[in-house]
Amino acid sequence: MNRTTLSLIAVATALAAVTGFAAVSAPDPVDSTATAKTPARLPVERSSLLCPAPSTSELAETVYTSFTPAGTTGAGTGGAAELAPSAAPLTDTDPADDEKKTDEDKAKDDEAKEPAADGADAKVKPFLALKEPGKPVSGTKKGADAPALVGAATGPLAPGWTAQQTTTVTAGDSRGLLGMTCTAPGTDFWFPGASTDKSRQDYVHLTNPDDTAAVADIALFGKEGTLKSDTGEGIPVPARSSVPVLLSTLTGEAEPNVTVHVSTRTGRVGAVVNATEEKTGGDWLAASADAAPRAVLPGIPGDATSVRLVVFAPGEDDAELKVQLAGKSGTIVPSSAAEPLNVKSGMTASLDLGDVTKGEAGAVRIGPAEGGRETPVVAALRVVRGKGDNQEVAFIPATGPVTERATVADNRAKGSTLTLTAPEKSAKVKVTASAGSGGGEQVVKTYTVKGGTTLAVTPPVPAGLKGSYALTVEPESGGPVHAARALAVTQDGVPMFTVQTLPDDRGMVSVPATKEDLSVLK
């Protein structure tokens, strides 16, 4: 074999080394034209939740409840779900919890209080630690010094993890039952239904879950558009901390109906509004669902004495909306909404619906008026129960349908009401009442909701219930379903209540099928 032949062999070998893998790994001709596979639905591996500081009242008593639904296929084993203080430790808990702890649990608690071996800061002891899906855990804090909580769940405790914060204040301006589902961090939130009026004190609570600082902007919109503000931009939110911002300090303009827009320049935050009124107590206002041409606001109690709809159009187009009520028997246009509601771009519009439910629980539906354009809007309701000096207020934001599953914690044996609204087609829904935080067995019940109606039920209660429990809603067939849960407690003649909507828990995510394609190297 001569030198020329050896050189040709060497060149061929080198080319094979560079291109050979692509050649043997290239997809078959059939594969290159095949239809893409449907993305797999897999459980999330991590969830984050943020609970704001609950109250500044010394008379406040706050119950925290943490829960993850059981039965998520493919969620794996192990994992943790913990809520820990962002600022100072919480000391009040349920004494019964300590009695149930094993020696191993107590040893872990002691270890959590000790400084780290490398000289780092002491590990913060979780206030609530969930150990297994399907059974809630609960803790209580009394007084005004409860800080915001920052939490994360991993492994099988992450899909559908939820936490409820319920505060009872028996006297003072903030008296009432204040409830909220702890929020996931994000970068953009809309709150129609807030106020800068002199009779209101509304705070936006910004909670940063991360180890780096965040910077947020707060913009306010009234009936004539943007409210002037010199202090709403560039608000720093330090790492793992919570900052309350009083809306009336951001502007000199007092308006009863205001839309708040929270966005971040850097980082992410959890955002929620705490609203307090002089004569009707207070409650939390959660963010509206993403702007859309149509919206459903579920969970209006049948005995509501006053309902006000607040809508904002964040885009460049005006919206002309038809307002309807989906009640027990069907969907109607209330007399107070006989004319379409006109919402100018960048302006907040409101509509007083009065005692629109007339004794039957319902949901407000909004969408384009006949001949109107499809303009995205955000919306919320201000709802009042009671009369005279014995009134209580709550807020209901627009919420999306339950596509796969939704859960709400801290349900009680008495005073809980579940409402299910099917705005279009009839739907069949499975409702699971979990085991109780102190004992009891899971119960499952199925409901059928007729199209265009709202079904209000006393939810199933776990057999042998001790403590509180969680409700999980799963549509089985039919059209979309929107859900809400109300808690009601009468205190000194005041019909205290709070309403939490049940958006889909997003415990499952689509993961597209992938394969190697080295044709991109050509």
Side-chain angles (χ1 to χ4, degrees):
M1 184 178 293
N2 59 32
R3 184 172 297 177
T4 302
T5 304
L6 290 173
S7 298
L8 290 172
I9 293 173
V11 171
T13 302
L15 288 171
V18 174
T19 64
F21 180 76
V24 299
S25 301
D28 296 333
V30 174
D31 289 339
S32 64
T33 58
T35 302
K37 294 182 180 179
T38 302
R41 297 290 291 170
L42 298 177
V44 299
E45 297 179 351
R46 182 181 176 85
S47 297
S48 297
L49 290 177
L50 308 171
C51 311
S55 179
T56 57
S57 173
E58 291 295 341
L59 301 176
E61 178 173 310
T62 302
V63 177
Y64 300 89
T65 309
S66 174
F67 176 78
T68 295
T72 301
T73 303
T77 59
E82 298 178 342
L83 284 167
S86 65
L90 298 171
T91 56
D92 296 346
T93 56
D94 188 345
D97 291 341
D98 289 329
E99 295 176 3
K100 298 174 186 176
K101 288 183 178 179
T102 64
D103 292 338
E104 182 180 356
D105 292 331
K106 293 177 181 177
K108 289 181 179 179
D109 288 347
D110 292 338
E111 181 182 351
K113 300 174 185 177
E114 296 176 357
D118 60 1
D121 292 338
K123 180 181 177 182
V124 178
K125 177 183 176 182
F127 178 65
L128 277 185
L130 186 65
K131 297 183 178 180
E132 59 180 312
K135 182 180 178 180
V137 295
S138 183
T140 302
K141 180 71 178 84
K142 298 179 181 179
D145 59 345
L149 300 183
V150 176
T154 58
L157 295 172
W161 181 45
T162 187
Q164 169 80 11
Q165 174 180 295
T166 309
T167 303
T168 304
V169 181
T170 56
D173 290 340
S174 61
R175 68 105 173 95
L177 189 66
L178 298 82
M180 66 162 293
T181 301
C182 298
T183 61
T187 59
D188 194 80
F189 306 86
W190 289 96
F191 300 94
S195 177
T196 58
D197 193 72
K198 294 180 180 179
S199 63
R200 285 267 291 264
Q201 277 201 324
D202 286 18
Y203 286 85
V204 178
H205 287 248
L206 307 174
T207 305
N208 180 1
D210 300 320
D211 294 329
T212 56
V215 178
D217 293 334
I218 300 176
L220 307 178
F221 302 88
K223 62 181 180 180
E224 300 297 334
T226 304
L227 301 184
K228 294 180 181 179
S229 174
D230 297 326
T231 56
E233 296 184 351
I235 299 172
V237 187
R240 295 186 65 83
S241 69
S242 188
V243 175
V245 180
L246 181 61
L247 295 185
S248 59
T249 65
L250 301 181
T251 179
E253 301 181 53
E255 292 205 22
N257 303 301
V258 169
T259 298
V260 179
H261 182 214
V262 175
S263 59
T264 60
R265 299 184 183 186
T266 60
R268 56 182 189 156
V269 297
V272 66
V273 174
N274 180 272
T276 300
E277 301 187 1
E278 287 182 355
K279 297 181 179 180
T280 55
D283 206 347
W284 293 97
L285 168 61
S288 171
D290 292 341
R294 292 170 177 79
V296 177
L297 301 92
I300 308 172
D303 61 352
T305 53
S306 175
V307 177
R308 181 194 301 159
L309 171 65
V310 182
V311 186
F312 179 79
E316 297 180 354
D317 297 325
D318 298 344
E320 193 171 9
L321 301 174
K322 181 179 183 179
V323 180
Q324 299 173 293
L325 176 74
K328 179 179 179 180
S329 304
T331 300
I332 64 169
V333 175
S335 58
S336 51
E339 298 295 327
L341 176 62
N342 190 271
V343 186
K344 297 290 185 181
S345 171
M347 302 181 186
T348 298
S350 64
L351 177 64
D352 285 320
L353 298 171
D355 57 343
V356 65
T357 52
K358 305 294 184 182
E360 297 180 356
V364 166
R365 296 175 55 187
I366 57 175
E370 186 174 354
R373 64 176 64 190
E374 301 269 326
T375 303
V377 297
V378 292
L381 298 174
R382 173 187 175 272
V383 181
V384 175
R385 293 176 68 220
K387 296 180 180 181
D389 294 332
N390 295 327
Q391 295 185 54
E392 165 75 337
V393 69
F395 299 89
I396 302 174
T399 188
V402 183
T403 54
E404 291 183 277
R405 182 181 64 183
T407 300
V408 63
D410 193 17
N411 298 278
R412 288 98 185 264
K414 296 181 180 180
S416 296
T417 301
L418 176 67
T419 59
L420 304 169
T421 299
E424 300 171 9
K425 300 178 181 179
S426 297
K428 186 177 180 181
V429 180
K430 182 175 77 171
V431 177
T432 302
S434 75
S437 57
E441 297 182 3
Q442 172 184 295
V443 174
V444 178
K445 193 167 183 178
T446 301
Y447 298 94
T448 298
V449 189
K450 295 181 180 180
T453 71
T454 292
L455 176 66
V457 298
T458 299
V461 177
L465 172 66
K466 293 182 180 179
S468 63
Y469 66 101
L471 285 172
T472 299
V473 176
E474 298 172 273
E476 293 191 327
S477 62
V481 174
H482 300 252
R485 185 282 314 270
L487 282 178
V489 176
T490 300
Q491 178 79 33
D492 297 329
V494 178
M496 297 181 178
F497 78 116
T498 183
V499 179
Q500 280 72 58
T501 58
L502 278 71
D504 194 86
D505 66 19
R506 299 180 182 178
M508 304 290 287
V509 292
S510 295
V511 180
T514 59
K515 63 181 179 181
E516 290 182 344
D517 182 4
L518 296 181
S519 63
V520 297
L521 300 178
K522 293 182 179 179

